[in-house]
Amino acid sequence: MKLALFTLALFSPAVEAILPPTLPSWEPTYDMSLSTLTMQCNGSGWSDPTRGAEFGVVSYDWSNAKSQWAMSQPMDCEERLIQQASMTKAANPNTHSWVYRNVVKALPWFTSVREILDDPAYSGFFLKFDPDVDAAVPRCAPENQTKCSIFYHDQMQTPAVPTPDNPNPDGSCPETGCNSGLNPTGEYLFDHRNSSLLPWLLEKHILSETAIGHPDVDGMFMDDYWCSNLVCSSVPTTPGCPCSDPVQGATEVDANQQKDMGLSDEDIRDLYYAWDANMQAIQQAIVDNGAYTWSLMAGQGNANAMPDLLTKNNCATKLRAACSSTSEWQTESKLFGLTVEDNEPSQLEEDVAFFLLARGDYAWLGWGTWGMTWPFNPSPAHGELPPLPNGVPRPEMIDRDFGKPVDTDGFCQEDQDGVFTREWTSGTVELDCNNFVGSVPTVAGGMRG
Ligand SMILES: *[C@@H]1O[C@H](CO)[C@@H](O)[C@H](O)[C@H]1NC(C)=O
Ligand SMILES: *[C@@H]1O[C@H](CO)[C@@H](O)[C@H](O)[C@H]1NC(C)=O
Ligand SMILES: *[C@@H]1O[C@H](CO)[C@@H](O)[C@H](O)[C@H]1NC(C)=O
């Protein structure tokens, strides 16, 4: 446990898990069209690349094209994410295409993970079942009782062969069985205490040709985190505390994981610190290689994906905080959301005005729900309107060419109590927080595409 002691000494009593918010190394843009972001997933096929190419950042989820990759022999989620990123780049080279990664769970539908899970030389990279415990999750594939693994895995978000009891699994494999290599298809877990794991993750999973080493990939959403009750009780402000997703250990994994792996509370603490140290190294390597990851934005640590939303009640407080050169709104990268009701932006001009008033160099606006997935799929008919075959279109306002903030004024100003303005090259942006009325310059579209 040398590594864990070392990280303990270095990072305890750490309040920040993972790296503090860090800016991307790429040039900032004030182009409104390119200052937008979405996380996309079409489980039944490719995500429409022309729609993805409307955004400044589009991050493709692991479940994208799952109907196809779950049937592949073997599964090829990793390659399909790259293909989706390339299709998007071909449609708009200015769009930043991101792919999904998980370094908590070892997901064997990613080729790079499958290859080492199948190779006994790498067995030290994975957590194992306690051989003396009657585990709550099966060690063998549901469809093949002789295809078993010593490595701990659950089947929570896992493709499976459809059965009468489970006709709609999270991805359908062929009748002949799921093929993610020699081990059953499931969610395995990396053992971050093994010091050889980090170099492998960096070289083969993060900076590789199927990740940010690919010319069409500019970043990644990194899912899940470790949580330890011992860490939470000694430093309650640690992000993720108290552990509740659903229990201490790896997040979004079966609730009996600790017992099934025979891990002590101290083991979980060591795994937490080892993961935390590796995540910092990974995040730093991503930025050093010209790419970016979601968790480096302010407020987005630990696989969060929720933008800041404006309300009438928080309007003045947020803007008073934002209107200074030293505020985190200016110095860090931030996610803003359009408030939505019934699948439509419900306070568009106020939200866009807020974005233009509060934003710094690195800021993105998107669909204001957790995950920020802009609806690309047909939306249901409402009122007199016919259904929209390509989902909810981008409102014209988020593709206007507002220019840039005017340097002499710098940041937003509170002109009268509760009324905020900021000068842009295209005109004045105003948000009256008392009456909750925004106004932005009326100008033509920007330079997207
Ligand atoms: C999702 O994939 C299906 C199957 O390829 C396709 O018909 C549909 O148009 C796609 N939807 C979007 C929004 O891209
Ligand atoms: C780490 O994993 C590698 C690969 O399986 C293994 O060779 C090595 O012995 C492991 N190290 C420790 C300390 O368990
Ligand atoms: C079941 O799994 C075993 C071990 O992996 C394999 O040899 C066998 O071919 C599998 N059976 C079927 C029907 O796929």
Side-chain angles (χ1 to χ4, degrees), residues 45-287:
W46 298 119
S47 196
D48 182 346
T50 43
R51 291 241 48 202
E54 295 171 350
F55 290 79
V57 172
V58 52
S59 186
Y60 291 106
D61 188 59
W62 68 284
S63 290
N64 197 55
K66 198 195 275 166
S67 299
Q68 285 74 34
W69 63 250
M71 297 295 272
S72 295
Q73 302 292 313
M75 293 182 190
D76 56 358
C77 176
E78 192 165 345
E79 291 77 5
R80 284 180 198 261
L81 283 171
I82 292 294
Q83 203 177 329
Q84 179 76 65
S86 294
M87 290 190 291
T88 308
K89 275 287 206 217
N92 182 0
N94 292 324
T95 292
H96 287 118
S97 297
W98 295 12
V99 296
Y100 177 95
R101 275 299 183 276
N102 201 320
V103 301
V104 172
K105 296 179 185 175
L107 303 173
W109 40 92
F110 284 75
T111 300
S112 52
V113 174
R114 167 175 53 82
E115 284 173 353
I116 61 165
L117 201 56
D118 284 355
D119 183 346
Y122 290 89
S123 72
F125 286 10
F126 305 99
L127 292 172
K128 298 177 185 64
F129 282 110
D130 180 341
D132 301 326
V133 165
D134 185 15
V137 292
R139 295 168 200 238
C140 304
E143 75 276 15
N144 181 346
Q145 289 307 306
T146 60
K147 187 175 185 179
C148 306
S149 182
I150 58 164
F151 302 122
Y152 177 81
H153 59 282
D154 76 3
Q155 248 108 20
M156 279 174 77
Q157 297 175 53
T158 299
V161 179
T163 62
D165 285 346
N166 183 19
N168 296 304
D170 199 347
S172 294
C173 302
E175 293 273 297
T176 50
C178 291
N179 184 345
S180 58
L182 301 175
N183 290 279
T185 300
E187 303 181 301
Y188 294 81
L189 294 172
F190 286 116
D191 187 346
H192 284 272
R193 296 168 301 182
N194 184 303
S195 59
S196 307
L197 177 63
L198 177 62
W200 180 87
L201 284 172
L202 288 172
E203 190 189 337
K204 303 289 191 192
H205 203 50
I206 301 293
L207 305 179
S208 57
E209 270 288 298
T210 59
I212 65 169
H214 193 283
D216 295 334
V217 177
D218 307 289
M220 46 184 56
F221 175 79
M222 296 184 66
D223 209 357
D224 291 306
Y225 57 96
W226 276 89
C227 192
S228 148
N229 288 344
L230 287 178
V231 172
C232 290
S233 54
S234 66
V235 190
T237 50
T238 304
C241 293
C243 306
S244 56
D245 194 11
V247 291
Q248 74 162 339
T251 54
E252 296 188 19
V253 167
D254 185 86
N256 301 290
Q257 54 176 292
Q258 180 172 4
K259 177 174 105 349
D260 286 356
M261 290 184 276
L263 298 172
S264 65
D265 289 351
E266 289 74 18
D267 288 331
I268 291 185
R269 177 198 61 201
D270 294 347
L271 281 157
Y272 166 80
Y273 280 118
W275 162 79
D276 183 62
N278 284 351
M279 262 305 272
Q280 300 196 29
I282 289 168
Q283 290 175 311
Q284 191 61 55
I286 289 171
V287 172

Side-chain angles (χ1 to χ4, degrees), residues 363-418:
W364 295 277
L365 180 65
W367 199 253
T369 56
W370 198 94
M372 300 186 75
T373 301
W374 194 284
F376 287 3
N377 288 307
S379 63
H382 39 80
E384 305 286 291
L385 294 169
L388 302 162
N390 298 307
V392 178
R394 286 165 66 101
E396 167 276 331
M397 198 179 291
I398 67 168
D399 288 310
R400 284 188 199 167
D401 181 7
F402 293 110
K404 290 182 169 189
V406 176
D407 283 344
T408 46
D409 287 312
F411 306 94
C412 47
Q413 321 264 329
E414 187 169 6
D415 292 343
Q416 317 152 32
D417 195 27

